[in-house]
Amino acid sequence: MSDQLIPIYVMGKRYDVPEGLTIMTAMEWIGYKFIRGCGCRGGFCGACGTAYRLAGDYKLRFGLACQALVQPNMHLTQIPFYPNPKTPYNIEDIKDPVETLLTLFPEIKKCVGCGACAKACPEGLRPIDYIAAALRGDWKTAAELSFDCLMCGLCASRCTGELVPHNIALFIRRYYSKYVRPMPANLLARTKEIRDGKFDNGVKKLANMSEEQLKKLYDQRDFEKI
Amino acid sequence: MSGYPASMQESIKKLNETRDFRLKQEIPRLPFAEREKLLHAHHPDYRASANAEVHLGPNKGQKLTLKLVQLLEAKSRLDPDKVDLNKIDYDVDVLVIGGGGGGVAAALLAQENGAKVMLTTKLRVGDSNTIMAEGGIAAATKEIDSPERHFMDTLGGGRFKNKRDVISALVHDAPLIVEWLKGLGCMFDTHPNGDLVVSFAGGHQRKRVHSCKDLSGMEFMRVLRDEMYNRQIPTLEFSPAIELLMDDQGNCSGAILLNMETKQYYVVRAKAVILATGGIGRLHPNDFATTNHYGATADGLVIAYRAGANLLNMEAIQYHPTGAMWPHQMLGQLITEACRGNGAQLVNKNGERYINELETRDTVSSANLREVQERGNGIITPMGTQGVWLDTPLINIRGDAGKLDRMFAGIVRRFGEYGIDVRKEPILIFPTQHYQNGGVEIDPYAQTCIPGLYAAGEVSGGVQGINRLGGNSLLDIFVFGRRSGTRAAEFAKKRKVGKLTLKHVTEYNHQLEQLGISNDVESPLLLPNYMREDIKQVTLK
Ligand SMILES: Cc1cc2nc3c(=O)[nH]c(=O)nc-3n(C[C@H](O)[C@H](O)[C@H](O)COP(=O)(O)OP(=O)(O)OC[C@H]3O[C@@H](n4cnc5c(N)ncnc54)[C@H](O)[C@@H]3O)c2cc1C
Ligand code: SF4
Ligand code: SF4
Ligand code: FES
């Protein structure tokens, strides 16, 4: 934070704030106390999506208030909520994934490939690409391309085709992770051993030892190599 | 151009020069007794100002972390006389308080076990510490690993203060939890043969942390939240619990919620209540920066305490060894332990290592504080703050050229925005408040000492002793979230709620008056206030 003050416009109202603050800390510096529009404060939860323009530039920009720094003559508003309802489904019972996708999200066919979504994404993701991959049936690519999605909803707020890209992506990732990448054999073997009670006595024995005995064993552990 | 000023680059030069030597250097782990010495000398919990005695309630006479005591000795923000308990707004079997990973897991299991469930939370569902977890979840799933080994590491990590019956449950359920999450469609990191990737975290003798890139908590949280919506479990957002309700038989029987937007209160009657309100970071214990989300203000501890639940190990706070120190905008944000688990080293201003990086967090943090505060080996920033280096380029050197981009894309991107290329340059770090080790005491079924009240996750005490191991918290919240959901649903089937009362709140306020304790704070705090000081002075209520 520096002593230099710069003008910013919060929902049209001018304030002079120190350079070097994030949009979120600048608003708090002004005197806002957030109820909405602030969650993790670390760029993970997508609560703080913000739209802004810079003076003299027509371009509409997007960022996370907890990450993006204030800039001189920034005109901003938060978009703390966007109506993105989702249709419930049963993950345990999906027979035909493509048919399910089209039933749950029929609007997916309305994607016109305009790319407005990619311009809005604060994570630099390209919903246009993961939606295209999904439509091609390449769900692996769709899952991987969308993985970093915070579900902030900014793409949905801009979508020409009225899609909710992040909800589509979540369905695809869940289906792909559950059904296309099967449960690993070593994990299944271990959970069977657990259910059979294989380790119960071993753990019980440790739990009943004296602290002194345990401290000795603790110092004698053999570590796997890095 | 690098994001580091020239003054800091001097030290980076030394770090580069010693890298070949450090790659071959082995630093043995400290024996338990040596670790204790280091902690007593340098861990913030041992500062004279860290803890204070609490003068009333179940832990009366004990020392607890100071910022919590201030809230425990504050008046309730609810005036019990102004509440009409005859007007019930919601009537359910199980009320879950808190919409992080622990709460959502509890809600799913309570519903599966036949209960009519409602979940209420302070911000949005998922705005929580859970969503921020990077490294992953611990479980002994590999053949060379076992629940016994996991037990031993957890107990020693917790400095032998964990409840042994509770950690027996923790390590038992761990592989089952990974299987459950995978079955719900969480996208775990996977080897080409289908096996799950596991990494080291400090204090574990085996690689056992299962990750979803460096967004593990986010992946678990969004999948569980989606599942909760799929199952149409009712949720209330921006409606924190501000007190618990009891009935005339001494059972926990619901809660008073506050709609933070309209300021209306709601009366929720429930046959069982699950507390999953998370941690304490936003109180800034010992005035440290924190990694925690905006709502981590110890509300659950305060309301459970007023209702008569005892706290365990609340003198023990976890400081994570590697919080960001530069750029200043990222102050206190977490640099995941998985960096060290994958070979990054800690280095002082002279280019020297000073601790085995895979010691437990209390130990590594204390070593970092010693390096800066006692030995004067910190690197000074233009803000006048100090830190030590985390040599991230080693991750690619020891792995392969793409490893940082593949596993730590978030870190690469976030520092990239400030002109720092963590593939080529180190990160400046300093300990940051991270986790509440103790909390409301629970048994292996997540039951507190109050009938009808369960606690799961960071708000609970006994699981982690006085120092948690990496990966053990995501595990904790799902193990005890699930167990609490199951138990609460069973308990709800057997019981009838008596006459509702807030007598415990009235009595608590009365005791404060009698003790002559008065401060101008009201609790639970709900949200921290980050307005600048001179503005706070001139705002009207
Ligand atoms: C940055 C970061 C990284 C981490 N990385 C890891 C990791 O890699 N592995 C690991 O095992 N652990 C990790 N942890 C720890 C772990 O994520 C948390 O301890 C755990 O997720 C806590 O889960 P929880 O459900 O108990 O609480 P939370 O997830 O914090 O959820 C609590 C919820 O309760 C709500 N709440 C609070 N007060 C009230 C109230 N009065 N009424 C209603 N609702 C309320 C909160 O807003 C929040 O939604 C990390 C933590 C942080 C902060
Ligand atoms: S893809 Fe959409 S919802 Fe996801 S982070 Fe980008 S803008 Fe937000
Ligand atoms: S904005 Fe909508 S319509 Fe346009 S490319 Fe993106 S998803 Fe398709
Ligand atoms: S507050 Fe969570 S992403 Fe900004």
Side-chain angles (χ1 to χ4, degrees), chain B residues 29-44:
Chain B
R29 283 170 211 259
L30 296 178
F32 188 77
E34 291 294 310
R35 171 179 161 210
E36 286 292 312
K37 270 193 228 155
L38 174 65
L39 295 181
H40 281 267
H42 291 284
H43 195 281

Side-chain angles (χ1 to χ4, degrees), chain B residues 178-198:
Chain B
V178 175
E179 185 184 46
W180 179 63
L181 291 170
K182 172 108 181 88
L184 285 167
C186 292
M187 199 162 140
F188 281 99
D189 292 334
T190 308
H191 291 294
N193 72 357
D195 285 357
L196 302 185
V197 175
V198 281

